[in-house]
Amino acid sequence: MSTERPRVAIFRELLLAGSETFIRNQVDALTTWEGVLFGLDLVDSPIASSADVPVMPGASRNRRRLLKITRSSRTLRKTLMEIDPSLVHAHFGMDAVMLVPTLRKLGLPLVVTFHGVDVNVLPHQNDPLSRLYRARLQELFSYASALVTNSSFMAARLESLGAPPDRIHTVPIGIPLPAPVSETQPRQGVIFLGRLADVKGVDDGLRAYARLPQDLRDAHPLTIAGDGPMRTYLEKLDFELGAGAQFVGAISPTDAARLLSSSAVFLGPSKTAANGAVEAFGMVFLEAAAAGIPSVAYRCGGVPEAVLHERTGLLAEEGDVAALSTNLERLLGDSPFAHLLGCQGREHVQKRFDIQRCTQVLETLYDSIAHRNRQ
């Protein structure tokens, strides 16, 4: 009897942005399936791997754009035939729609994981590629064997676009659990970790932090880790508010874990952006909880599924900066309460969001789809 594992070809257009550790982590967590990550081209990234398979190495942006429009590529078909998977798993809807004609010709089933922008933003924009994506979504919904989301919030959004409810599966990706943090040193500081874009609400975070009493700010300095289009604006706002935040730019996963483990509170006031973007779930809230620190956030999008109010953090209504600041002050001023929420947060992640357990659920879904495809 063969002990060879079935193979899943996992697709992402570009392999693999440093911010997409969740994809790499999920591939690495597979146990009963062998994952082969493939995409159109490679990018310079700290999470790149020599095992990743590029379909069109060195392709120009225009060439990739042409493939998105025509969805016709002998090289793509040849690559898939060489990988020889039992099924294909595409991350992000806009990547998945590219594959449908090729997969149909090869008779390969498709699993799609939607992450947020592919549901909350692109289907509602009017540029040519977004209109084309919107027009092809129904074909994708019809062809895909499973439509996977990280949260029930995203599942409802997906259904509102016309996705069949019986094909929608809420399967969190989860996170690798770090070792328990030693509590010999008191935790100090407030940390934001993420992209500096309007959907992350860092401007509201700065305003909330600036409202704190000076003694709390002196004892708990704010660190903003990450980069993005709003950095210059946010640094100017920080100066105007006198918040005194330290902007450290993009950091490695190792440094992120170190900052989380030494901080007292994670501040993540994600909010609805002008273009409709909204936090679909928020993996960073799980990372904070796994490090044993509570989160202060808005009740927005899928965040309440990642941060449980009064159990793993404190939530304010979206846009209520005063309440956000009050919650921050409450945790910074009550270390035993913050410690309790941090412990409960780590326990919550261990029970529901351990990536090994979450990936087992995904592999069971793979099994059922592959079995149906063989019949």
Side-chain angles (χ1 to χ4, degrees):
M1 180 175 167
S2 174
T3 59
E4 191 172 296
R5 294 183 295 166
R7 185 173 297 145
V8 53
I10 299 159
F11 182 75
R12 183 68 175 110
E13 179 186 350
L14 296 177
L15 303 171
L16 187 64
S19 61
E20 295 178 355
T21 53
F22 52 91
I23 297 177
R24 176 68 65 198
N25 288 341
Q26 188 178 72
V27 175
D28 290 344
L30 293 169
T31 57
T32 61
W33 282 70
E34 177 192 359
V36 177
L37 193 57
F38 79 111
L40 300 188
D41 202 358
L42 307 173
V43 294
D44 185 18
S45 164
I47 61 171
S49 168
S50 59
D52 296 343
V53 179
V55 176
M56 301 160 51
S60 67
R61 186 174 180 179
N62 283 340
R63 189 179 170 201
R64 297 199 310 269
R65 181 185 175 91
L66 181 63
L67 175 56
K68 292 177 185 179
I69 295 170
T70 65
R71 300 191 296 176
S72 177
S73 168
R74 284 179 292 182
T75 307
L76 173 61
R77 183 174 179 177
K78 181 175 180 288
T79 301
L80 272 167
M81 292 174 68
E82 290 172 348
I83 295 174
D84 191 26
S86 297
L87 61 84
V88 174
H89 181 174
H91 282 270
F92 291 91
M94 59 277 196
D95 285 11
V97 296
M98 276 192 280
L99 301 181
V100 172
T102 299
L103 298 184
R104 182 178 282 119
K105 290 176 182 176
L106 294 175
L108 287 171
L110 172 65
V111 174
V112 186
T113 295
F114 294 85
H115 292 281
V117 65
D118 44 3
V119 173
N120 299 318
V121 180
L122 294 184
H124 312 288
Q125 293 185 327
N126 285 317
D127 61 279
L129 278 182
S130 295
R131 289 197 300 269
L132 191 59
Y133 171 62
R134 182 168 62 245
R136 289 171 170 172
L137 265 180
Q138 300 310 313
E139 178 193 28
L140 176 63
F141 294 157
S142 176
Y143 184 80
S145 298
L147 309 168
V148 179
T149 69
N150 233 1
S151 65
S152 58
F153 166 78
M154 277 288 289
R157 284 288 180 95
L158 200 57
E159 188 174 346
S160 73
L161 290 175
D166 62 338
R167 296 192 188 181
I168 301 174
H169 301 261
T170 300
V171 183
I173 291 177
I175 62 169
L177 294 180
V181 178
S182 170
E183 297 294 342
T184 56
Q185 296 293 329
R187 291 174 179 263
Q188 292 181 317
V190 178
I191 176 72
F192 167 86
L193 176 63
R195 182 167 161 76
L196 303 187
D198 54 355
V199 71
K200 298 300 182 180
V202 186
D203 51 344
D204 282 13
L206 283 170
R207 294 184 181 99
Y209 180 80
R211 295 170 68 110
L212 294 176
Q214 188 64 51
D215 61 332
L216 276 184
R217 283 191 281 154
D218 289 342
H220 299 284
L222 173 61
T223 299
I224 295 177
D227 214 335
M230 290 187 69
R231 179 165 179 172
T232 300
Y233 165 75
L234 291 170
E235 288 177 333
K236 180 181 178 183
L237 178 64
D238 174 69
F239 177 79
E240 292 171 350
L241 293 170
Q246 181 183 15
F247 290 77
V248 298
I251 59 175
S252 69
T254 301
D255 287 338
R258 177 183 55 79
L259 276 174
L260 287 171
S261 66
S262 63
S263 298
V265 174
F266 177 75
L267 178 60
S270 297
K271 59 184 180 179
T272 306
N275 67 354
V278 63
E279 195 75 76
F281 182 73
M283 300 292 285
V284 70
F285 295 112
L286 300 185
E287 293 169 357
I293 65 172
S295 292
V296 169
Y298 282 144
R299 191 174 280 106
C300 172
V303 173
E305 297 177 58
V307 180
L308 306 183
H309 183 57
E310 297 278 359
R311 285 184 54 199
T312 69
L314 297 177
L315 298 175
E317 295 305 316
E318 184 176 354
D320 191 341
V321 173
L324 192 72
S325 184
T326 297
N327 287 342
L328 191 56
E329 183 175 359
R330 182 181 174 191
L331 289 178
L332 294 177
D334 188 346
S335 295
F337 180 55
H339 178 70
L340 173 64
L341 295 192
C343 290
Q344 291 177 168
R346 181 172 173 83
E347 182 180 357
H348 179 60
V349 171
Q350 287 174 326
K351 287 182 177 179
R352 292 203 54 198
F353 299 106
D354 176 355
I355 195 168
Q356 296 295 335
R357 294 185 182 184
C358 294
T359 305
Q360 286 174 8
V361 176
L362 179 67
E363 289 183 299
T364 299
L365 181 62
Y366 287 170
D367 290 339
S368 64
I369 292 168
H371 177 72
R372 290 200 307 268
N373 194 58
R374 287 194 298 267
Q375 291 181 326

